[in-house]
Amino acid sequence: MTGSAGTPNSPYADLDSTAFWRTAVADRHPHDMEELYRPKYKLKRSDSIATAGSCFAQEIGWFLRRAGIKVVDTEAIPPTAWTPDLTQYGFGMFSARYGNIYTPRELLQCWLEAIGEFTPAEPVWERDGRYYDAFRPGVEPNGMASPEAVVESRRRHLRRMVEGYSGASVFLFTFGMTETWEHAASGTVYQTAPGTIAGDFDADTFRLNNLTFNDCFNDFMMFRESLKSVNPDVRFIVTVSPGQNLVTASGNHVLVASTQQKAVLRAVAGQLADDCDDVDYFPSYDMVALSTTRGFFYRPNARQAHQSGVDFVMKTFFDAHGIEIEPRAHDWVEDVHNDDEIVCEEALLEAFA
Amino acid sequence: MRHICVIGDSSTAALKAGWAEIAANHQGTRLTFFASPGESLRTLELSGRCLITNDDGVAASFAMTSGGLSVIDLDDYDEIWIAGLGVTPASSVEVYADFRSEEHVNLGDDQVLVSQQAFDLMVKGRIRNSAAVALARRLREVVGTVQIISRPLPCEDIVSDDPAWAAAVGDDASSLVDSFGRGVREVADNTVPVYTQPAVVSASPLTTKRDYSTDAIALDLVTKSPDADLWHMNSKFGVEVLREILPSHGESSEKSALAPAPCGCSSLCSPAMLQHPASPFADYLKEARRRRDQARSTWVVMANVTCPRAVEMVQYVASARRMFVLWSTPNAGEVQLPTWCQLHQWSPGERGQEDAAQQVSSMCDTRAADIVVDCNARSDTYAALSHLVEKSGRGYLAITESSPASEWWRLSAELCLDMATHQIGRRDVIMDDRHIWATWAPGMPRADFPILGDLRSDMIDTFAPAGSAG
């Protein structure tokens, strides 16, 4: 049996060239793959984008600012007061000063706490007489003087987070990890393992939770539904960080564990985009991590994306959205965006290697 | 004739008007003003040894304020003063409007609450990003003496106009001024000294007395500022600021007969020479400041000080977070010291060295002190303090003069403390170097200070000013 044009009647017959590995990948230079990303909707410069996620989301945020797109920042430093050291205090990284949010459970928990639907366990950690916000211990590198100050600072922070998310037209989240540390009795999860930046690890109190596909998918869907209840028009862009995990507490080899985590998160991101019209998947992970680029977008440690990889990924992103990145001389963003200044609490775990 | 170039924003008008009133009393000094409103001076560029602008408005404003010059030829001037251009203690209040530190008294409710370190970084950012610091950094590469005169603080009436100012002035003034001071130390001090307005014109640490903003004038020295203008000052303000600054730059003071260098020895004594790139001190100062900026939480015990500015200066120079001041003057209670200073009266020498040492021991734990500063050194107090330093095993003793509130004193203290902090010279006793000693204590019996005989010969060879007493 043949089709009307005499070609074999196959569901693959009418697919365009991007559907075939040879024409889409093998015959093309990795820098020149067409339509690698087809946005469900085009970003406009009038959009305001709220961002959260792992370290890689910081990179995306910097590029969005460079492109002249408004990135929601509810705890912003006035440009006249900016100094690069402030990145170490969580400023200018995301839409509020929450530091990296590595898992969708942290995102959901933080949001629910912000809207008054969740009360976390052990919200303040101590080290050397200073007190730290257990859910963002890195944003005050030297802690604060009292637990009360930490709690009050967090109350104001979460209020601003709600304001920012409620007014955003797009919410961009980068999935980073599935492994998270939780309070065994309550299920409260934390950004870092107790004892890394502050607090003390007690195996009877805290435990590892390696989130499954269903955990991650359901957590993000719950977050999405909750956010849409206060911001019905918000759309979502999800990505997966191409950075491999620095360490695992799963018992597996770190490479095996990292592969599993990225596979889960990649599947979750894809599933979210497949199921939800308002969720778009941007394949940053695919562009950097897969064999097509032969690993040359990674730094020598084969774990972190090299700046050239980030540049390539973001160029693809903006090209697909029809947005040109205009370099701005003497802009404070340029001043801040230094490859070494991306803040990653997870990197502190290197000290245990 | 010393020729000073004053480059600034609209706040320069008060200085210019003030100078017009007192210039006749300063025959040895000439000031030329180059001013333009707001941030327009960011357009200034270095071309060879000239500052030029492509902005016609700035050029026209320069011509108006300087008497016809639109280009600043740096070789025409001995010193450059930068007025305003974003450096002001008000920076702290501008940050305070949106952020509060956990250490503030008034925490507000809408502001982001951060640690004091984070708050200080924002204030530092304001200073770092100011047009004044940007200009100063460029100028320091080509001229010897550059200083910044901070923008006037607003009129005290601002507290009824602006809630942030009302809260700041009411509750957190000292803390905000301290934040500015730390920011200046970390940013501007690496480049140039920064002068803030004198206490006599201030209604509070953050505001100016109404009397000095009444009938404020514009750069043309004719146009009056509107009554509602709280940010510009009048000629009386300019006079007070210039009176404060000019004596510290070798100019004869109208208020005091103290000469900046009483020994009257060589030109090496002038602060300008000390800071000049060709000075043997220049590299040393630069390195010492760099190291000092890495130091934190220094604890200083300061004895026999007679001038509150000396306390401030030591705090400033030594990055001191804790100071214990042993005060021997009867009017100590009248002196406004930072609240974190512990002040104790003492009577050294009345009952012998051992008793003096005992007094200090009973008042403070000198074992924890990093630096002990003995001002107006006398044999008995020197012996008592050095005995304690010896016992502490980690402190350093600096000896310096404390009296005249002058730039000269600041430099001598700075040299002493840099030496003390960084272990240049002897471990246990740090003498202000030969140069400073020779300058400030020409009549002091050398026999009273055996350590003078131990000064390193290379320091004497290098730093002793020509003709100084041996």
Side-chain angles (χ1 to χ4, degrees), chain B residues 198-216:
Chain B
V200 67
V201 303
S202 298
S204 76
L206 288 169
T207 56
T208 301
K209 290 174 182 168
R210 187 179 301 108
D211 191 34
Y212 292 97
S213 69
T214 306
D215 295 329

Side-chain angles (χ1 to χ4, degrees), chain B residues 158-298:
Chain B
I158 199 167
V159 298
S160 55
D161 277 16
D162 188 320
W165 277 90
V169 172
D171 296 312
D172 291 311
S174 296
S175 172
L176 292 169
V177 170
D178 287 348
S179 289
F180 175 74
R182 288 189 287 270
V184 161
R185 191 167 66 229
E186 290 198 25
V187 178
D189 187 51
N190 287 330
T191 313
V192 289
V194 174
Y195 287 86
T196 53
Q197 65 189 49
V200 67
V201 303
S202 298
S204 76
L206 288 169
T207 56
T208 301
K209 290 174 182 168
R210 187 179 301 108
D211 191 34
Y212 292 97
S213 69
T214 306
D215 295 329
I217 49 170
L219 288 171
D220 62 7
L221 300 192
V222 175
T223 309
K224 292 273 174 63
S225 293
D227 289 343
D229 180 356
L230 302 174
W231 289 92
H232 292 93
M233 301 298 143
N234 56 27
S235 61
K236 285 198 297 182
F237 180 92
V239 167
E240 293 296 345
V241 171
L242 290 170
R243 276 180 173 157
E244 179 79 4
I245 296 171
L246 283 169
S248 70
H249 283 75
E251 181 64 64
S252 295
S253 168
E254 293 182 326
K255 296 189 295 187
S256 166
L258 279 175
C263 68
C265 60
S266 81
S267 59
L268 188 61
C269 292
S270 86
M273 284 302 293
L274 275 179
Q275 294 189 95
H276 192 279
S279 160
F281 285 95
D283 287 343
Y284 164 71
L285 274 174
K286 189 176 174 184
E287 173 63 12
R289 284 174 177 158
R290 187 187 70 76
R291 292 187 193 177
R292 189 183 69 222
D293 288 340
Q294 296 169 356
R296 295 290 183 275
S297 301
T298 311

Side-chain angles (χ1 to χ4, degrees), chain A residues 74-304:
Chain A
T74 57
E75 296 177 285
I77 303 289
T80 53
W82 181 258
T83 185
D85 294 344
L86 285 166
T87 53
Q88 299 305 316
Y89 288 77
F91 289 104
M93 293 165 60
F94 297 109
S95 293
R97 198 169 156 242
Y98 31 65
N100 294 311
I101 294 179
Y102 293 104
T103 66
R105 180 146 301 175
E106 288 173 61
L107 175 68
L108 173 65
Q109 177 182 292
C110 190
W111 172 253
L112 293 178
E113 182 190 0
I115 61 174
E117 295 183 5
F118 179 77
T119 303
E122 303 209 12
V124 180
W125 288 348
E126 186 265 351
R127 173 167 285 182
D128 298 332
R130 301 288 291 178
Y131 297 90
Y132 297 77
D133 186 331
F135 307 101
R136 48 173 192 156
V139 303
E140 287 290 354
N142 300 305
M144 298 182 86
S146 69
E148 293 78 16
V150 173
V151 169
E152 177 60 15
S153 176
R154 181 163 186 79
R155 183 184 72 80
R156 299 181 188 200
H157 156 68
L158 293 176
R159 185 171 63 192
R160 289 183 178 238
M161 176 186 170
V162 172
E163 291 169 5
Y165 283 18
S166 300
S169 59
V170 175
F171 180 82
L172 189 152
F173 183 73
T174 299
F175 292 93
M177 291 195 290
T178 59
E179 287 186 23
T180 188
W181 290 91
E182 70 177 14
H183 186 256
S186 68
T188 299
V189 294
Y190 302 93
Q191 183 194 54
T192 63
T196 305
I197 296 176
D200 288 311
F201 180 70
D202 172 7
D204 293 331
T205 305
F206 303 103
R207 69 183 177 200
L208 178 73
N209 185 353
N210 197 359
L211 301 170
T212 65
F213 173 94
N214 287 336
D215 291 333
C216 295
F217 182 81
N218 292 336
D219 286 345
F220 193 88
M221 287 295 276
M222 284 178 64
F223 166 75
R224 170 178 165 270
E225 286 161 18
S226 181
L227 178 56
K228 287 182 81 73
S229 70
V230 297
N231 183 359
D233 296 329
V234 69
R235 293 161 294 158
F236 299 83
I237 297 174
V238 293
T239 67
V240 176
S241 170
Q244 302 296 328
N245 298 123
L246 183 74
V247 62
T248 180
S250 65
N252 293 326
H253 188 285
V254 66
L255 188 145
V256 176
S258 186
T259 302
Q260 178 175 330
Q261 292 193 49
K262 294 300 174 184
V264 167
L265 295 173
R266 173 63 185 86
V268 167
Q271 193 69 52
L272 288 166
D274 288 347
D275 289 1
C276 307
D277 289 341
D278 56 3
V279 178
D280 190 21
Y281 171 66
F282 172 58
S284 56
Y285 174 80
D286 315 51
M287 280 184 262
V288 174
L290 298 189
S291 59
T292 52
T293 50
R294 286 79 167 167
F296 61 62
F297 281 151
Y298 278 107
R299 296 188 196 182
N301 63 10
R303 191 183 75 81
Q304 297 163 285

Side-chain angles (χ1 to χ4, degrees), chain B residues 230-426:
Chain B
L230 302 174
W231 289 92
H232 292 93
M233 301 298 143
N234 56 27
S235 61
K236 285 198 297 182
F237 180 92
V239 167
E240 293 296 345
V241 171
L242 290 170
R243 276 180 173 157
E244 179 79 4
I245 296 171
L246 283 169
S248 70
H249 283 75
E251 181 64 64
S252 295
S253 168
E254 293 182 326
K255 296 189 295 187
S256 166
L258 279 175
C263 68
C265 60
S266 81
S267 59
L268 188 61
C269 292
S270 86
M273 284 302 293
L274 275 179
Q275 294 189 95
H276 192 279
S279 160
F281 285 95
D283 287 343
Y284 164 71
L285 274 174
K286 189 176 174 184
E287 173 63 12
R289 284 174 177 158
R290 187 187 70 76
R291 292 187 193 177
R292 189 183 69 222
D293 288 340
Q294 296 169 356
R296 295 290 183 275
S297 301
T298 311
W299 187 18
V300 173
V301 174
M302 196 165 175
N304 299 329
V305 63
T306 56
C307 170
R309 283 192 55 171
V311 178
E312 293 171 6
M313 193 55 67
V314 169
Q315 183 262 324
Y316 168 85
V317 167
S319 304
R321 296 296 294 261
R322 300 176 66 195
M323 287 191 68
F324 192 101
V325 180
L326 305 174
W327 210 283
S328 56
T329 57
N331 60 341
E334 299 172 11
V335 179
Q336 294 294 314
L337 287 175
T339 53
W340 40 263
C341 277
Q342 299 176 55
L343 176 65
H344 283 264
Q345 201 95 23
W346 81 324
S347 305
E350 286 182 0
R351 286 170 291 181
Q353 293 175 11
E354 286 301 316
D355 181 66
Q358 188 63 39
Q359 282 186 61
V360 178
S361 295
S362 66
M363 289 187 285
C364 63
D365 182 6
T366 52
R367 288 173 301 176
D370 296 298
I371 301 171
V372 176
V373 183
D374 186 7
C375 301
N376 303 311
R378 303 189 324 216
S379 297
D380 52 354
T381 61
Y382 160 71
L385 291 169
S386 61
H387 176 63
L388 291 168
V389 166
E390 186 68 32
K391 279 171 56 181
S392 82
R394 64 187 285 261
Y396 299 93
L397 178 63
I399 303 173
T400 187
E401 177 62 59
S402 80
S403 298
S406 69
E407 173 69 5
W408 179 237
W409 185 87
R410 185 178 80 84
L411 284 166
S412 64
E414 196 162 305
L415 284 166
C416 285
L417 289 164
D418 284 339
M419 294 166 74
T421 311
H422 306 302
Q423 307 180 37
I424 300 169
R426 288 173 52 119

Side-chain angles (χ1 to χ4, degrees), chain B residues 38-53:
Chain B
E39 293 275 287
S40 61
L41 294 188
R42 286 193 189 271
T43 63
L44 286 179
E45 291 178 10
L46 262 177
S47 174
R49 293 190 56 78
C50 291
L51 274 177
I52 62 169
T53 176

